[in-house]
Amino acid sequence: MALPRIPRERSLTYGLVESVGQLIVTGAYDVQPFPTEGELSRQHGTSRSVTREAVKMLTAKGLLQARPRQGTSVTPEAQWNLLDPDVLRWLLERKFSLQLLAEFTEMRLAIEPAAAALAAKRADREAIGRIREGLERMKAAGQGEDEPVAADIAFHTAVLAATGNRFFAQLDPLINTALRISIRFTNRIKGRAAGIAHHEEVLDAIAAGDAERAALAMRSLVGEVLALITAASAQPGTARKAARRTALT
Amino acid sequence: MALPRIPRERSLTYGLVESVGQLIVTGAYDVQPFPTEGELSRQHGTSRSVTREAVKMLTAKGLLQARPRQGTSVTPEAQWNLLDPDVLRWLLERKFSLQLLAEFTEMRLAIEPAAAALAAKRADREAIGRIREGLERMKAAGQGEDEPVAADIAFHTAVLAATGNRFFAQLDPLINTALRISIRFTNRIKGRAAGIAHHEEVLDAIAAGDAERAALAMRSLVGEVLALITAASAQPGTARKAARRTALT
DNA sequence: CCCGCACATATTATATGATTATTAATCTCA
DNA sequence: TGAGATTAATAATCATATAATATGTGCGGG
């Protein structure tokens, strides 16, 4: 039996991508210009090869652009590939804003009901089984920190996978990232019991093959999250507290 | 006045990213293993630095993974970042399939009606102006090849931008890519007059601030495209013809 | 004072060779 | 047979040199 084998992902290069990526999204280079390759190498104690490869990866994610004699620079925020899981994670963890979370949730509100409808239409037994599994885990989970979140995420992941559509499935890492943040935020405000009822309704509708009801149920589920977020952002002070809570390190 | 200044994007590295990216998505490495850095350099006549940087960019897009002693390998297709504009473009241009186009259009069917609704709710005058501009261009366009397509794309781009939501806006390059392919495909089947009427209805609803009507209009617009695509894929032979039409080079 | 051209210059882009770290595969020995 | 040590292949990293490319600078002429 093959071991799960932990992927490395902790080479100097990947480490540099992480650090510099986080620095970029937090706006560290909004005032001072982005350093040249040489400086960047010196600052992080890496060779130029490593630096260049990290810069190239960040370029592929749309965060940087480089031209000879002009130097490397941070691209305008509008060009960042927000749909890259790394970029979204850096933004949500390092530069959290209720505004950003709200915008993402608006997109979830477009995507997830459609996903539930597709899943219902497709009615793949095995896939539905995995959705049910996620729900059971949610119900069984205690008041710990990690397991309820993981179960909730597993539910949404299973729904996206059940669409049989590669693009919906691709949104999974993004929604996972955002959910981890989002749940941490909404759990304080609202108990989990109501949430479970909603999830149950989604599963029922999908299992029954009722696309329209599945979409409606999912819409009300996500819509409630969005309502919580927008309500919180209207209330001054909450944003700062939320940022503190979600910040890691 | 600063010239538009053509971005380079044609360095050896970017060229290599393009070639290898296209080779990967077409499945060239499904049978034979992905070459080692040294071989890849030799095959493409580039130095190891260039090769490594290109590999790193493709790694950032989720197409490759590398580990010492094991070599570089193509990641399972499920891990490819389909939401990266380059990856989607390579797939649609080099390994076109009606199935993929249909799946993407399913996602459009979830996204674009919601975008229209958000645009209507927001009712930003300037943004609506840009949507109208796209529509005017569509009406004015002759039977040329490029301008009608560009105008149609401009319309959809403007709607996404009018949402004021960064994530919807981010989907623009993806939808642009797919639209370029999609229009080329559907135009053969169906005249453009009906299309313009639908677009007009979307604009009217957004301008009137009627979110629900905007969503419905957009849904029927995109839904029609999806119907064309699924109808075509049911009809044998069409797929091959479509692939030939959309293939570049 | 302004324009246009050559030229210097800073920076990324590319090339090359060597060294190190990682890990799959093999071998050794109990 | 199996666990542990060894080997070897490969990416990862380092160091250095050269080339290409924009950007500024200064000079000459109008």
PDB file of all heavy atoms in Angstrom, chain A residues 11-13 47 49-50 68-70, chain D residues 12-15 17 21-24:
ATOM      1  N   SER A  11      10.393  23.698  -0.125  1.00  0.00           N
ATOM      2  CA  SER A  11      11.702  24.079  -0.621  1.00  0.00           C
ATOM      3  C   SER A  11      11.882  25.574  -0.401  1.00  0.00           C
ATOM      4  O   SER A  11      10.934  26.276  -0.056  1.00  0.00           O
ATOM      5  CB  SER A  11      11.798  23.739  -2.107  1.00  0.00           C
ATOM      6  OG  SER A  11      10.740  24.372  -2.785  1.00  0.00           O
ATOM      7  N   LEU A  12      13.082  26.008  -0.581  1.00  0.00           N
ATOM      8  CA  LEU A  12      13.336  27.442  -0.476  1.00  0.00           C
ATOM      9  C   LEU A  12      12.431  28.215  -1.415  1.00  0.00           C
ATOM     10  O   LEU A  12      11.855  29.244  -1.051  1.00  0.00           O
ATOM     11  CB  LEU A  12      14.805  27.737  -0.819  1.00  0.00           C
ATOM     12  CG  LEU A  12      15.847  27.373   0.227  1.00  0.00           C
ATOM     13  CD1 LEU A  12      17.214  27.812  -0.253  1.00  0.00           C
ATOM     14  CD2 LEU A  12      15.524  28.046   1.544  1.00  0.00           C
ATOM     15  N   THR A  13      12.314  27.701  -2.634  1.00  0.00           N
ATOM     16  CA  THR A  13      11.526  28.424  -3.627  1.00  0.00           C
ATOM     17  C   THR A  13      10.083  28.606  -3.169  1.00  0.00           C
ATOM     18  O   THR A  13       9.559  29.723  -3.181  1.00  0.00           O
ATOM     19  CB  THR A  13      11.551  27.668  -4.967  1.00  0.00           C
ATOM     20  OG1 THR A  13      12.915  27.442  -5.336  1.00  0.00           O
ATOM     21  CG2 THR A  13      10.874  28.484  -6.051  1.00  0.00           C
ATOM     22  N   SER A  47      19.711  32.427  -3.300  1.00  0.00           N
ATOM     23  CA  SER A  47      20.460  32.718  -4.514  1.00  0.00           C
ATOM     24  C   SER A  47      19.531  33.352  -5.545  1.00  0.00           C
ATOM     25  O   SER A  47      18.310  33.349  -5.404  1.00  0.00           O
ATOM     26  CB  SER A  47      21.040  31.448  -5.090  1.00  0.00           C
ATOM     27  OG  SER A  47      20.028  30.694  -5.691  1.00  0.00           O
ATOM     28  N   SER A  49      18.930  32.285  -8.539  1.00  0.00           N
ATOM     29  CA  SER A  49      18.103  31.269  -9.215  1.00  0.00           C
ATOM     30  C   SER A  49      16.787  31.082  -8.476  1.00  0.00           C
ATOM     31  O   SER A  49      15.709  31.143  -9.067  1.00  0.00           O
ATOM     32  CB  SER A  49      18.838  29.934  -9.263  1.00  0.00           C
ATOM     33  OG  SER A  49      20.198  30.117  -9.527  1.00  0.00           O
ATOM     34  N   VAL A  50      16.900  30.835  -7.187  1.00  0.00           N
ATOM     35  CA  VAL A  50      15.703  30.609  -6.386  1.00  0.00           C
ATOM     36  C   VAL A  50      14.790  31.823  -6.461  1.00  0.00           C
ATOM     37  O   VAL A  50      13.573  31.702  -6.665  1.00  0.00           O
ATOM     38  CB  VAL A  50      16.098  30.330  -4.922  1.00  0.00           C
ATOM     39  CG1 VAL A  50      14.881  30.365  -4.035  1.00  0.00           C
ATOM     40  CG2 VAL A  50      16.793  28.988  -4.830  1.00  0.00           C
ATOM     41  N   PRO A  68      13.189  43.979 -18.442  1.00  0.00           N
ATOM     42  CA  PRO A  68      14.589  44.387 -18.281  1.00  0.00           C
ATOM     43  C   PRO A  68      14.686  45.895 -18.133  1.00  0.00           C
ATOM     44  O   PRO A  68      13.896  46.630 -18.733  1.00  0.00           O
ATOM     45  CB  PRO A  68      15.250  43.936 -19.592  1.00  0.00           C
ATOM     46  CG  PRO A  68      14.312  42.991 -20.221  1.00  0.00           C
ATOM     47  CD  PRO A  68      12.955  43.299 -19.709  1.00  0.00           C
ATOM     48  N   ARG A  69      15.642  46.264 -17.359  1.00  0.00           N
ATOM     49  CA  ARG A  69      15.982  47.676 -17.121  1.00  0.00           C
ATOM     50  C   ARG A  69      14.900  48.423 -16.321  1.00  0.00           C
ATOM     51  O   ARG A  69      15.154  49.439 -15.719  1.00  0.00           O
ATOM     52  CB  ARG A  69      16.242  48.372 -18.465  1.00  0.00           C
ATOM     53  CG  ARG A  69      16.191  49.876 -18.445  1.00  0.00           C
ATOM     54  CD  ARG A  69      17.412  50.441 -17.745  1.00  0.00           C
ATOM     55  NE  ARG A  69      17.098  51.734 -17.194  1.00  0.00           N
ATOM     56  CZ  ARG A  69      17.967  52.579 -16.689  1.00  0.00           C
ATOM     57  NH1 ARG A  69      19.225  52.274 -16.685  1.00  0.00           N
ATOM     58  NH2 ARG A  69      17.610  53.719 -16.174  1.00  0.00           N
ATOM     59  N   GLN A  70      13.692  47.895 -16.318  1.00  0.00           N
ATOM     60  CA  GLN A  70      12.620  48.575 -15.599  1.00  0.00           C
ATOM     61  C   GLN A  70      12.431  47.946 -14.233  1.00  0.00           C
ATOM     62  O   GLN A  70      11.937  48.583 -13.309  1.00  0.00           O
ATOM     63  CB  GLN A  70      11.334  48.466 -16.406  1.00  0.00           C
ATOM     64  CG  GLN A  70      10.168  49.208 -15.809  1.00  0.00           C
ATOM     65  CD  GLN A  70       8.916  49.023 -16.651  1.00  0.00           C
ATOM     66  OE1 GLN A  70       8.825  49.519 -17.769  1.00  0.00           O
ATOM     67  NE2 GLN A  70       7.966  48.278 -16.138  1.00  0.00           N
TER      68      GLN A  70
ATOM     69  P    DA D  12      12.666  20.648  -8.013  1.00  0.00           P
ATOM     70  OP1  DA D  12      11.507  20.722  -7.103  1.00  0.00           O
ATOM     71  OP2  DA D  12      12.714  21.456  -9.242  1.00  0.00           O
ATOM     72  O5'  DA D  12      13.987  20.940  -7.162  1.00  0.00           O
ATOM     73  C5'  DA D  12      13.997  20.568  -5.789  1.00  0.00           C
ATOM     74  C4'  DA D  12      15.116  21.296  -5.089  1.00  0.00           C
ATOM     75  O4'  DA D  12      16.385  20.871  -5.647  1.00  0.00           O
ATOM     76  C3'  DA D  12      15.074  22.827  -5.205  1.00  0.00           C
ATOM     77  O3'  DA D  12      15.246  23.356  -3.908  1.00  0.00           O
ATOM     78  C2'  DA D  12      16.240  23.152  -6.143  1.00  0.00           C
ATOM     79  C1'  DA D  12      17.201  22.006  -5.893  1.00  0.00           C
ATOM     80  N9   DA D  12      18.049  21.651  -7.029  1.00  0.00           N
ATOM     81  C8   DA D  12      17.647  21.400  -8.303  1.00  0.00           C
ATOM     82  N7   DA D  12      18.629  21.084  -9.119  1.00  0.00           N
ATOM     83  C5   DA D  12      19.754  21.135  -8.322  1.00  0.00           C
ATOM     84  C6   DA D  12      21.121  20.901  -8.578  1.00  0.00           C
ATOM     85  N6   DA D  12      21.579  20.556  -9.785  1.00  0.00           N
ATOM     86  N1   DA D  12      21.977  21.031  -7.552  1.00  0.00           N
ATOM     87  C2   DA D  12      21.500  21.371  -6.354  1.00  0.00           C
ATOM     88  N3   DA D  12      20.244  21.619  -5.984  1.00  0.00           N
ATOM     89  C4   DA D  12      19.413  21.477  -7.025  1.00  0.00           C
ATOM     90  P    DT D  13      15.220  24.892  -3.647  1.00  0.00           P
ATOM     91  OP1  DT D  13      14.862  25.105  -2.226  1.00  0.00           O
ATOM     92  OP2  DT D  13      14.456  25.541  -4.736  1.00  0.00           O
ATOM     93  O5'  DT D  13      16.751  25.267  -3.825  1.00  0.00           O
ATOM     94  C5'  DT D  13      17.668  24.861  -2.836  1.00  0.00           C
ATOM     95  C4'  DT D  13      19.068  25.213  -3.268  1.00  0.00           C
ATOM     96  O4'  DT D  13      19.372  24.603  -4.541  1.00  0.00           O
ATOM     97  C3'  DT D  13      19.326  26.709  -3.479  1.00  0.00           C
ATOM     98  O3'  DT D  13      20.076  27.162  -2.366  1.00  0.00           O
ATOM     99  C2'  DT D  13      20.115  26.779  -4.787  1.00  0.00           C
ATOM    100  C1'  DT D  13      20.454  25.321  -5.073  1.00  0.00           C
ATOM    101  N1   DT D  13      20.586  24.958  -6.508  1.00  0.00           N
ATOM    102  C2   DT D  13      21.823  24.637  -6.992  1.00  0.00           C
ATOM    103  O2   DT D  13      22.839  24.640  -6.313  1.00  0.00           O
ATOM    104  N3   DT D  13      21.854  24.300  -8.331  1.00  0.00           N
ATOM    105  C4   DT D  13      20.763  24.264  -9.194  1.00  0.00           C
ATOM    106  O4   DT D  13      20.901  23.946 -10.365  1.00  0.00           O
ATOM    107  C5   DT D  13      19.492  24.610  -8.609  1.00  0.00           C
ATOM    108  C7   DT D  13      18.261  24.597  -9.465  1.00  0.00           C
ATOM    109  C6   DT D  13      19.469  24.934  -7.314  1.00  0.00           C
ATOM    110  P    DC D  14      20.388  28.710  -2.241  1.00  0.00           P
ATOM    111  OP1  DC D  14      20.553  28.992  -0.802  1.00  0.00           O
ATOM    112  OP2  DC D  14      19.445  29.492  -3.056  1.00  0.00           O
ATOM    113  O5'  DC D  14      21.826  28.806  -2.936  1.00  0.00           O
ATOM    114  C5'  DC D  14      22.847  27.901  -2.531  1.00  0.00           C
ATOM    115  C4'  DC D  14      24.051  28.055  -3.444  1.00  0.00           C
ATOM    116  O4'  DC D  14      23.750  27.456  -4.728  1.00  0.00           O
ATOM    117  C3'  DC D  14      24.482  29.484  -3.739  1.00  0.00           C
ATOM    118  O3'  DC D  14      25.799  29.675  -3.252  1.00  0.00           O
ATOM    119  C2'  DC D  14      24.401  29.606  -5.265  1.00  0.00           C
ATOM    120  C1'  DC D  14      24.474  28.153  -5.709  1.00  0.00           C
ATOM    121  N1   DC D  14      23.827  27.871  -7.029  1.00  0.00           N
ATOM    122  C2   DC D  14      24.612  27.414  -8.091  1.00  0.00           C
ATOM    123  O2   DC D  14      25.822  27.261  -7.920  1.00  0.00           O
ATOM    124  N3   DC D  14      24.007  27.145  -9.281  1.00  0.00           N
ATOM    125  C4   DC D  14      22.694  27.313  -9.418  1.00  0.00           C
ATOM    126  N4   DC D  14      22.151  27.029 -10.602  1.00  0.00           N
ATOM    127  C5   DC D  14      21.875  27.776  -8.338  1.00  0.00           C
ATOM    128  C6   DC D  14      22.484  28.040  -7.172  1.00  0.00           C
ATOM    129  P    DA D  15      26.323  31.153  -3.051  1.00  0.00           P
ATOM    130  OP1  DA D  15      27.213  31.130  -1.866  1.00  0.00           O
ATOM    131  OP2  DA D  15      25.207  32.107  -3.126  1.00  0.00           O
ATOM    132  O5'  DA D  15      27.228  31.350  -4.348  1.00  0.00           O
ATOM    133  C5'  DA D  15      28.111  30.321  -4.733  1.00  0.00           C
ATOM    134  C4'  DA D  15      28.672  30.619  -6.109  1.00  0.00           C
ATOM    135  O4'  DA D  15      27.737  30.139  -7.106  1.00  0.00           O
ATOM    136  C3'  DA D  15      28.881  32.107  -6.387  1.00  0.00           C
ATOM    137  O3'  DA D  15      30.245  32.312  -6.680  1.00  0.00           O
ATOM    138  C2'  DA D  15      27.957  32.406  -7.575  1.00  0.00           C
ATOM    139  C1'  DA D  15      27.763  31.030  -8.204  1.00  0.00           C
ATOM    140  N9   DA D  15      26.505  30.839  -8.922  1.00  0.00           N
ATOM    141  C8   DA D  15      25.245  31.142  -8.488  1.00  0.00           C
ATOM    142  N7   DA D  15      24.295  30.854  -9.348  1.00  0.00           N
ATOM    143  C5   DA D  15      24.971  30.318 -10.430  1.00  0.00           C
ATOM    144  C6   DA D  15      24.530  29.815 -11.673  1.00  0.00           C
ATOM    145  N6   DA D  15      23.254  29.773 -12.039  1.00  0.00           N
ATOM    146  N1   DA D  15      25.476  29.354 -12.530  1.00  0.00           N
ATOM    147  C2   DA D  15      26.763  29.409 -12.152  1.00  0.00           C
ATOM    148  N3   DA D  15      27.296  29.858 -11.008  1.00  0.00           N
ATOM    149  C4   DA D  15      26.335  30.307 -10.189  1.00  0.00           C
ATOM    150  P    DA D  17      32.684  35.953 -12.781  1.00  0.00           P
ATOM    151  OP1  DA D  17      34.144  35.930 -12.657  1.00  0.00           O
ATOM    152  OP2  DA D  17      31.913  37.062 -12.175  1.00  0.00           O
ATOM    153  O5'  DA D  17      32.324  35.863 -14.329  1.00  0.00           O
ATOM    154  C5'  DA D  17      32.478  34.614 -15.004  1.00  0.00           C
ATOM    155  C4'  DA D  17      31.605  34.614 -16.242  1.00  0.00           C
ATOM    156  O4'  DA D  17      30.220  34.408 -15.849  1.00  0.00           O
ATOM    157  C3'  DA D  17      31.634  35.940 -17.011  1.00  0.00           C
ATOM    158  O3'  DA D  17      31.958  35.682 -18.374  1.00  0.00           O
ATOM    159  C2'  DA D  17      30.210  36.499 -16.859  1.00  0.00           C
ATOM    160  C1'  DA D  17      29.395  35.247 -16.622  1.00  0.00           C
ATOM    161  N9   DA D  17      28.154  35.485 -15.865  1.00  0.00           N
ATOM    162  C8   DA D  17      28.037  35.984 -14.594  1.00  0.00           C
ATOM    163  N7   DA D  17      26.789  36.084 -14.180  1.00  0.00           N
ATOM    164  C5   DA D  17      26.043  35.615 -15.262  1.00  0.00           C
ATOM    165  C6   DA D  17      24.661  35.461 -15.457  1.00  0.00           C
ATOM    166  N6   DA D  17      23.751  35.800 -14.538  1.00  0.00           N
ATOM    167  N1   DA D  17      24.254  34.963 -16.648  1.00  0.00           N
ATOM    168  C2   DA D  17      25.175  34.647 -17.553  1.00  0.00           C
ATOM    169  N3   DA D  17      26.498  34.739 -17.484  1.00  0.00           N
ATOM    170  C4   DA D  17      26.871  35.232 -16.296  1.00  0.00           C
ATOM    171  P    DT D  21      16.223  41.758 -27.204  1.00  0.00           P
ATOM    172  OP1  DT D  21      14.996  41.006 -27.502  1.00  0.00           O
ATOM    173  OP2  DT D  21      17.004  42.379 -28.280  1.00  0.00           O
ATOM    174  O5'  DT D  21      15.856  42.873 -26.137  1.00  0.00           O
ATOM    175  C5'  DT D  21      15.315  42.472 -24.881  1.00  0.00           C
ATOM    176  C4'  DT D  21      15.095  43.703 -24.033  1.00  0.00           C
ATOM    177  O4'  DT D  21      16.328  44.101 -23.381  1.00  0.00           O
ATOM    178  C3'  DT D  21      14.635  44.930 -24.816  1.00  0.00           C
ATOM    179  O3'  DT D  21      13.641  45.574 -24.038  1.00  0.00           O
ATOM    180  C2'  DT D  21      15.885  45.784 -24.891  1.00  0.00           C
ATOM    181  C1'  DT D  21      16.482  45.488 -23.527  1.00  0.00           C
ATOM    182  N1   DT D  21      17.925  45.795 -23.340  1.00  0.00           N
ATOM    183  C2   DT D  21      18.343  46.314 -22.138  1.00  0.00           C
ATOM    184  O2   DT D  21      17.585  46.523 -21.218  1.00  0.00           O
ATOM    185  N3   DT D  21      19.682  46.571 -22.046  1.00  0.00           N
ATOM    186  C4   DT D  21      20.635  46.365 -23.037  1.00  0.00           C
ATOM    187  O4   DT D  21      21.812  46.630 -22.847  1.00  0.00           O
ATOM    188  C5   DT D  21      20.128  45.826 -24.267  1.00  0.00           C
ATOM    189  C7   DT D  21      21.059  45.562 -25.400  1.00  0.00           C
ATOM    190  C6   DT D  21      18.813  45.570 -24.373  1.00  0.00           C
ATOM    191  P    DA D  22      12.145  45.728 -24.682  1.00  0.00           P
ATOM    192  OP1  DA D  22      11.382  44.503 -24.530  1.00  0.00           O
ATOM    193  OP2  DA D  22      12.303  46.381 -26.000  1.00  0.00           O
ATOM    194  O5'  DA D  22      11.515  46.817 -23.702  1.00  0.00           O
ATOM    195  C5'  DA D  22      12.083  48.075 -23.746  1.00  0.00           C
ATOM    196  C4'  DA D  22      12.473  48.508 -22.353  1.00  0.00           C
ATOM    197  O4'  DA D  22      13.893  48.292 -22.184  1.00  0.00           O
ATOM    198  C3'  DA D  22      12.224  49.986 -22.166  1.00  0.00           C
ATOM    199  O3'  DA D  22      11.867  50.224 -20.829  1.00  0.00           O
ATOM    200  C2'  DA D  22      13.571  50.611 -22.519  1.00  0.00           C
ATOM    201  C1'  DA D  22      14.549  49.544 -22.030  1.00  0.00           C
ATOM    202  N9   DA D  22      15.794  49.501 -22.798  1.00  0.00           N
ATOM    203  C8   DA D  22      15.970  49.121 -24.097  1.00  0.00           C
ATOM    204  N7   DA D  22      17.213  49.170 -24.509  1.00  0.00           N
ATOM    205  C5   DA D  22      17.913  49.592 -23.396  1.00  0.00           C
ATOM    206  C6   DA D  22      19.283  49.845 -23.166  1.00  0.00           C
ATOM    207  N6   DA D  22      20.216  49.691 -24.102  1.00  0.00           N
ATOM    208  N1   DA D  22      19.636  50.268 -21.933  1.00  0.00           N
ATOM    209  C2   DA D  22      18.691  50.419 -21.008  1.00  0.00           C
ATOM    210  N3   DA D  22      17.383  50.213 -21.097  1.00  0.00           N
ATOM    211  C4   DA D  22      17.057  49.799 -22.333  1.00  0.00           C
ATOM    212  P    DT D  23      10.783  51.407 -20.543  1.00  0.00           P
ATOM    213  OP1  DT D  23       9.872  50.871 -19.522  1.00  0.00           O
ATOM    214  OP2  DT D  23      10.279  51.938 -21.816  1.00  0.00           O
ATOM    215  O5'  DT D  23      11.673  52.533 -19.873  1.00  0.00           O
ATOM    216  C5'  DT D  23      12.405  52.199 -18.696  1.00  0.00           C
ATOM    217  C4'  DT D  23      13.592  53.115 -18.552  1.00  0.00           C
ATOM    218  O4'  DT D  23      14.615  52.784 -19.521  1.00  0.00           O
ATOM    219  C3'  DT D  23      13.284  54.595 -18.788  1.00  0.00           C
ATOM    220  O3'  DT D  23      13.392  55.243 -17.537  1.00  0.00           O
ATOM    221  C2'  DT D  23      14.346  55.057 -19.798  1.00  0.00           C
ATOM    222  C1'  DT D  23      15.367  53.935 -19.742  1.00  0.00           C
ATOM    223  N1   DT D  23      16.159  53.716 -20.982  1.00  0.00           N
ATOM    224  C2   DT D  23      17.526  53.839 -20.916  1.00  0.00           C
ATOM    225  O2   DT D  23      18.116  54.138 -19.900  1.00  0.00           O
ATOM    226  N3   DT D  23      18.183  53.590 -22.112  1.00  0.00           N
ATOM    227  C4   DT D  23      17.609  53.250 -23.328  1.00  0.00           C
ATOM    228  O4   DT D  23      18.294  53.054 -24.315  1.00  0.00           O
ATOM    229  C5   DT D  23      16.175  53.143 -23.315  1.00  0.00           C
ATOM    230  C7   DT D  23      15.458  52.786 -24.561  1.00  0.00           C
ATOM    231  C6   DT D  23      15.532  53.382 -22.159  1.00  0.00           C
ATOM    232  P    DG D  24      12.909  56.737 -17.377  1.00  0.00           P
ATOM    233  OP1  DG D  24      12.429  56.881 -15.995  1.00  0.00           O
ATOM    234  OP2  DG D  24      12.051  57.114 -18.521  1.00  0.00           O
ATOM    235  O5'  DG D  24      14.299  57.531 -17.508  1.00  0.00           O
ATOM    236  C5'  DG D  24      15.232  57.431 -16.449  1.00  0.00           C
ATOM    237  C4'  DG D  24      16.632  57.707 -16.956  1.00  0.00           C
ATOM    238  O4'  DG D  24      16.824  57.075 -18.243  1.00  0.00           O
ATOM    239  C3'  DG D  24      16.963  59.190 -17.166  1.00  0.00           C
ATOM    240  O3'  DG D  24      18.154  59.470 -16.468  1.00  0.00           O
ATOM    241  C2'  DG D  24      17.153  59.310 -18.688  1.00  0.00           C
ATOM    242  C1'  DG D  24      17.639  57.918 -19.037  1.00  0.00           C
ATOM    243  N9   DG D  24      17.475  57.532 -20.429  1.00  0.00           N
ATOM    244  C8   DG D  24      16.298  57.263 -21.090  1.00  0.00           C
ATOM    245  N7   DG D  24      16.469  56.918 -22.343  1.00  0.00           N
ATOM    246  C5   DG D  24      17.847  56.953 -22.521  1.00  0.00           C
ATOM    247  C6   DG D  24      18.633  56.675 -23.673  1.00  0.00           C
ATOM    248  O6   DG D  24      18.255  56.326 -24.786  1.00  0.00           O
ATOM    249  N1   DG D  24      20.000  56.833 -23.413  1.00  0.00           N
ATOM    250  C2   DG D  24      20.532  57.208 -22.197  1.00  0.00           C
ATOM    251  N2   DG D  24      21.861  57.308 -22.133  1.00  0.00           N
ATOM    252  N3   DG D  24      19.810  57.467 -21.119  1.00  0.00           N
ATOM    253  C4   DG D  24      18.483  57.330 -21.352  1.00  0.00           C
TER     254       DG D  24
END
